[in-house]
Amino acid sequence: MVSTYIPIQHPTTKSKPAKDAVSVRRHAQAKRMISTKNLNTDLWLQYRQSGVGSSDASTAAGINPFKSQLELWLEKTGRMVPTQPKMTEDSPLTWGTILEPIVAEQYAKRTENKVRRVNAILQHSEHTWMLANLDREVVACEAVQILECKTAGVHSAKHWKQGVPDYIKLQVMHQLAVTGFEAADVAVLIGGQKLEIHRIHRDEVLIERLIELEQRFWQHVQDDTPPPLDASDSCDQALRVLYPEDNDKTVDLNDDAFANVTFTELLEIRRQLSFLKEQESLLKHRLQERMGEHSHARLIQGAVSWKQTKAVNRLDTQRLKVEQPELYERYLKQSPGPRRFQIHPNN
C-alpha cells in the first residue's frame, strides 16, 4: 500500500487528456446503483445495507479501531440501526459533513484540480456487494481521480502523525477497487487549521486481499451467522444488543472443550491482572512518598504529577430523597439494568 504525502504548498501538476478519454473513464468500471441527489436518509441506509460500502471496508476486514465486525454485522442484518447524529449536535460525523465542502474547495484551490460531486451509490461490476460513495471525483486529471475529504479533531489528530491511518487507506483502496481508478487524494483538515493532502495509489495485491476479507464478512451476513469476536468496546456493546436480556436459566458447558479452555485462560488472566494491579499500586505509592507535597516530579524517562483536582459539585440524592421525597420521585427515572458478567471459580 503506497501513501505519498503531497505538501499543499506545492500544487500537483495537472495532466488533461482529451475530453472523450475523460468521459470514458468517468467512474471507470463502476455501475451507478442509485442516484443520491433526492434520496432520503432512510432509503440511503436501506441501499447501504445491501452491501459493503467504502466506509465499511476496514471494519469488514477487521482492522477498524473504532468499530467491530460484529457491530457492522448487526447493522447489515437489520438487528441494529446505524447511529446518525443530528446536524444540530456536536460530533465528529456532524462536523465532518459540515466541513466536507470546505475541504474540497480548499483542495481544488491549492492543487488546481477540478472536482465535482458524485451523487450516486456506485457498485462494483463483478462483486455486486461492493458499494462506494465518493466525496468528490477529480475531473480531467490522469494522475488522480478520487478525492476523499476528512477532518481530524483534537483527539483524532494523533492518528495522522504517520500519514493516512490504515483504516482510511482501506476505505480509499475499496473505492479504487469499485471504480477501477488508479489513484486517490485524501485531503484532511487537522485541528481546523492545517490541511494535508496525501496520495494513495492503487495496489492490486492489497485490493485482492481486501476483496477476499470483505467477501468473507459478507458471507456471514448472507448466512446470518455472526463474524469472529474481538476485544473492542464496540464488540462488547454489540453483544449487549444481540443478547440484551438473560432468561434466568443455566446452560451446561461441561462438555464444551472450547468454553472450558476459554474459562481457564480467563481465570489465569484475572490472576495476572490482580498481581500486576498490586505491583502498580506499590510502585505508585513509592513515587508518591518520594514526591511528598510537590505537584510534579521529573525523571530520566519522563515525569509524573500528583495534584489536587478542582472541587466538584454533586447532587446529594440521599438528602433530597429524605427532605423532598415527592420532588425526588417526580424526577426519578428508571433505566433497564445492563447484564453483568461475573466469574465464579470452583476454588
Side-chain angles (χ1 to χ4, degrees):
M1 184 189 307
V2 180
S3 173
T4 306
Y5 173 59
I6 305 172
I8 56 178
Q9 63 267 30
H10 301 299
T12 56
T13 302
K14 294 186 296 178
S15 177
K16 295 186 177 181
K19 186 175 181 180
D20 289 344
V22 175
S23 300
V24 168
R25 72 107 169 137
R26 188 181 181 192
H27 304 151
Q29 68 184 19
K31 299 177 181 178
R32 287 177 67 94
M33 184 181 188
I34 185 72
S35 172
T36 57
K37 205 162 189 179
N38 299 308
L39 198 65
N40 63 43
T41 302
D42 290 338
L43 280 175
W44 179 72
L45 289 173
Q46 285 182 30
Y47 278 104
R48 281 203 59 184
Q49 253 186 301
S50 64
V52 178
S54 50
S55 61
D56 301 324
S58 62
T59 306
I63 71 160
N64 190 337
F66 309 108
K67 190 172 185 177
S68 64
Q69 288 184 316
L70 184 61
E71 183 179 349
L72 182 62
W73 177 82
L74 289 175
E75 293 175 357
K76 298 299 181 182
T77 56
R79 291 176 168 87
M80 184 176 179
V81 179
T83 303
Q84 295 297 315
K86 297 178 181 178
M87 295 306 291
T88 55
E89 297 177 349
D90 285 332
S91 76
L93 286 175
T94 299
W95 283 107
T97 302
I98 293 171
L99 293 172
E100 179 187 307
I102 297 174
V103 173
E105 180 184 0
Q106 287 300 309
Y107 167 85
K109 286 181 178 178
R110 301 188 188 200
T111 63
E112 298 183 3
N113 286 336
K114 182 181 178 182
V115 298
R116 65 183 168 202
R117 294 179 182 272
V118 180
N119 297 310
I121 297 177
L122 305 180
Q123 185 180 38
H124 196 289
S125 59
E126 180 183 353
H127 306 290
T128 55
W129 45 268
M130 289 184 72
L131 312 176
N133 287 91
L134 307 183
D135 287 343
R136 298 291 189 278
E137 183 179 18
V138 182
V139 181
C141 182
E142 288 183 334
V144 62
Q145 300 82 40
I146 295 174
L147 171 63
E148 180 64 27
C149 301
K150 295 295 182 185
T151 55
V154 176
H155 300 295
S156 59
K158 61 185 178 182
H159 297 294
W160 293 82
K161 286 184 177 180
Q162 304 300 320
V164 182
D166 286 343
Y167 64 95
I168 301 296
K169 289 179 183 177
L170 284 194
Q171 177 182 355
V172 174
M173 204 58 64
H174 177 103
Q175 294 171 349
L176 295 174
V178 171
T179 60
F181 287 151
E182 294 299 322
D185 278 346
V186 179
V188 55
L189 180 63
I190 297 179
Q193 297 179 337
K194 181 183 179 184
L195 184 69
E196 290 183 358
I197 302 173
H198 300 265
R199 176 73 47 84
I200 295 180
H201 296 276
R202 186 182 182 88
D203 184 330
E204 295 295 347
V205 174
L206 180 57
I207 286 176
E208 183 178 349
R209 178 60 175 159
L210 179 60
I211 292 175
E212 178 186 338
L213 291 172
E214 289 185 7
Q215 194 161 28
R216 188 180 302 169
F217 169 80
W218 191 244
Q219 194 63 50
H220 282 286
V221 176
Q222 292 183 312
D223 294 343
D224 201 35
T225 56
L229 306 177
D230 60 43
S232 67
D233 289 338
S234 168
C235 188
D236 178 77
Q237 293 302 315
L239 282 169
R240 294 179 186 278
V241 171
L242 191 59
Y243 307 109
E245 298 178 352
D246 61 285
N247 59 13
D248 203 30
K249 296 180 180 179
T250 301
V251 58
D252 189 346
L253 298 178
N254 279 289
D255 296 329
D256 189 325
F258 176 78
N260 282 280
V261 169
T262 300
F263 185 67
T264 301
E265 291 177 351
L266 178 58
L267 290 175
E268 176 59 21
I269 290 293
R270 289 284 181 95
R271 186 193 66 79
Q272 293 177 23
L273 285 174
S274 177
F275 172 77
L276 291 173
K277 189 66 179 175
E278 289 181 3
Q279 292 301 302
E280 180 193 30
S281 295
L282 175 60
L283 297 174
K284 181 183 72 173
H285 295 161
R286 288 174 178 173
L287 286 172
Q288 288 173 325
E289 191 275 333
R290 282 289 194 274
M291 291 175 69
E293 69 275 8
H294 293 89
S295 303
H296 304 275
R298 291 191 299 271
L299 299 106
I300 295 174
Q301 296 190 47
V304 293
S305 64
W306 187 19
K307 297 183 66 177
Q308 180 78 37
T309 59
K310 293 182 179 180
V312 178
N313 293 321
R314 291 191 175 92
L315 181 66
D316 188 342
T317 55
Q318 292 301 318
R319 181 180 174 188
L320 179 65
K321 184 177 181 180
V322 172
E323 297 182 5
Q324 299 288 340
E326 293 183 1
L327 185 63
Y328 176 83
E329 289 293 334
R330 190 189 309 171
Y331 289 95
L332 193 63
K333 181 180 179 181
Q334 188 179 58
S335 300
R339 295 183 66 180
R340 182 180 300 174
F341 183 81
Q342 295 178 305
I343 62 173
H344 308 283
N346 289 333
N347 297 326

